[in-house]
């Protein structure tokens, strides 16, 4: 019977890919002042660990229908030997996940038997604007020919149609990439609709990334969570306390979407 895949399968793929979208090398640029080649100032202020920890979505943001996901892929000794995403052509984005100056991630699952939707929120701060903008450009290139995923993992076959856009969730965002992979998962003669949504939004040298995994036709909304995560980052950058207001979505589990 199909249940929520373990984190090393497509859920892990979604989360690792989301991190990969924002994972940029932290090597020094040739010039630490002035402007980068695209006209963006090269001087950056790097957030510390406490600040990125504060910027990720809080349990209160998710609401009472979610719980913290205790299935930490870092606890799996075999995780390092597996494909970086497990998501076909999206694996073109490599998994240099440990290059940011500071990063934090929080993962949540619905308080139901299937534990879907599963939502992950991450924030990374980098010491080079060039590295961040180059990462986004490499992702655009990888997505150009990525229209379908057809992979088999752990006895389950995933067939997904991929679309992407660059619509921003706040006017303060410098650039944003949104990816949806929607289709089906089949195993043991059963087939279920699957939807994966990912967003990465850059504000200067800081990036928020969100991912959502659903079992269900077309899945649910990710953008409200992305907007809330951007709001938390902006608050941290402004030196104020981020809002713990629950994100309102129509499809929130346990009635979380009814909380304003």
């Amino acid at each position: 019977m199909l249940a929520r895949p373990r984190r090393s399968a497509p859920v892990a793929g979604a989360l690792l890919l989301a991190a990969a979208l924002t994972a940029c090398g932290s090597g020094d640029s040739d010039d630490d002042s002035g402007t980068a080649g695209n006209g963006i100032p090269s001087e950056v202020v790097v957030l510390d660990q406490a600040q990125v920890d504060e910027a990720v979505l809080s349990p209160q943001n998710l609401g009472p229908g979610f719980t913290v996901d205790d299935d930490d892929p870092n606890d799996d000794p075999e995780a390092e030997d597996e494909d970086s995403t497990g998501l076909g052509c999206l694996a073109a984005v490599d998994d240099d996940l440990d290059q940011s100056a500071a990063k934090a991630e929080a993962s949540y699952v619905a308080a139901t038997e299937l534990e879907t939707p599963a939502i992950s929120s991450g924030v990374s701060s980098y010491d080079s604007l060039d590295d961040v903008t180059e990462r986004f450009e490499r992702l655009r290139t990888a997505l150009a020919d990525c229209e379908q995923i057809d992979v088999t993992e752990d006895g389950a076959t995933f067939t997904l149609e991929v679309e992407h856009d660059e619509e921003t969730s706040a006017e303060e965002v410098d650039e944003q990439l949104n990816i949806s992979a929607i289709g089906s998962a089949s195993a043991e003669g059963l087939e279920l609709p699957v939807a994966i949504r990912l967003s990465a939004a850059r504000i200067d040298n800081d990036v928020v990334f969100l991912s959502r995994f659903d079992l269900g036709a077309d899945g649910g909304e990710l953008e409200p969570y992305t907007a809330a995560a951007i709001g938390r980052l902006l608050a941290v950058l402004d030196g104020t306390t981020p809002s713990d207001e629950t994100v309102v979505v129509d499809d929130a589990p346990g009635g979380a979407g009814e909380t304003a």
Side-chain angles (χ1 to χ4, degrees):
M1 180 176 180
L2 281 172
R4 184 176 75 93
R6 65 185 180 87
R7 285 281 290 272
S8 59
V11 173
L15 304 185
L16 287 176
L17 176 61
L21 307 188
T22 64
C24 310
S26 60
D28 295 334
S29 61
D30 292 335
D31 182 5
D32 291 331
S33 61
T35 60
N38 55 10
I40 301 174
S42 298
E43 290 186 356
V44 296
V45 176
V46 179
L47 299 178
D48 61 28
Q49 189 60 48
Q51 289 173 309
V52 295
D53 287 342
E54 188 177 28
V56 297
L57 291 179
S58 69
Q60 292 80 10
N61 290 140
L62 273 293
F66 286 90
T67 62
V68 176
D69 186 3
D70 295 325
D71 187 6
D72 187 350
N74 294 324
D75 294 335
D76 184 356
E78 298 179 359
E80 294 182 359
D81 297 329
E82 297 176 351
D83 179 70
S84 60
T85 67
L87 288 175
C89 57
L90 291 184
V93 184
D94 57 20
D95 62 339
D96 52 339
L97 303 181
D98 298 318
Q99 301 302 311
S100 59
K103 64 178 181 178
E105 181 180 335
S107 297
Y108 304 94
V109 295
T112 62
E113 183 178 358
L114 292 179
E115 297 186 330
T116 62
I119 294 176
S120 177
S121 166
V123 175
S124 295
S125 188
Y126 301 93
D127 57 14
S128 169
L129 267 175
D130 286 338
D131 287 337
V132 180
T133 55
E134 288 171 7
R135 167 61 61 184
F136 271 80
E137 189 57 39
R138 287 197 296 271
L139 179 57
R140 289 188 183 92
T141 300
L143 289 173
D145 298 319
C146 185
E147 299 179 351
Q148 183 168 329
I149 295 169
D150 197 345
V151 298
T152 299
E153 256 192 52
D154 301 323
T157 298
F158 297 85
T159 303
L160 307 169
E161 298 294 326
V162 180
E163 296 182 354
H164 67 279
D165 65 62
E166 299 190 28
E167 183 175 349
T168 59
S169 299
E171 62 181 11
E172 295 88 351
V173 172
D174 294 306
E175 58 182 334
Q176 181 170 328
L177 295 169
N178 310 301
I179 304 169
S180 65
I182 298 174
S184 64
S186 58
E188 301 177 358
L190 297 175
E191 182 174 308
L192 286 176
V194 169
I196 297 170
R197 286 186 166 82
L198 310 164
S199 288
R202 179 181 69 80
I203 300 175
D204 294 330
N205 57 304
D206 302 310
V207 180
V208 300
F209 63 85
L210 278 295
S211 72
R212 174 170 177 154
F213 174 87
D214 284 273
L215 290 175
D218 295 332
E221 295 181 276
L222 179 62
E223 198 280 333
Y225 296 104
T226 303
I230 292 170
R232 289 188 69 92
L233 174 60
L234 289 170
V236 170
L237 292 172
D238 194 43
T240 61
T241 301
S243 171
D244 284 327
E245 182 178 6
T246 301
V247 175
V248 177
V249 293
D250 293 336
D251 60 348
E258 299 174 1
T259 303

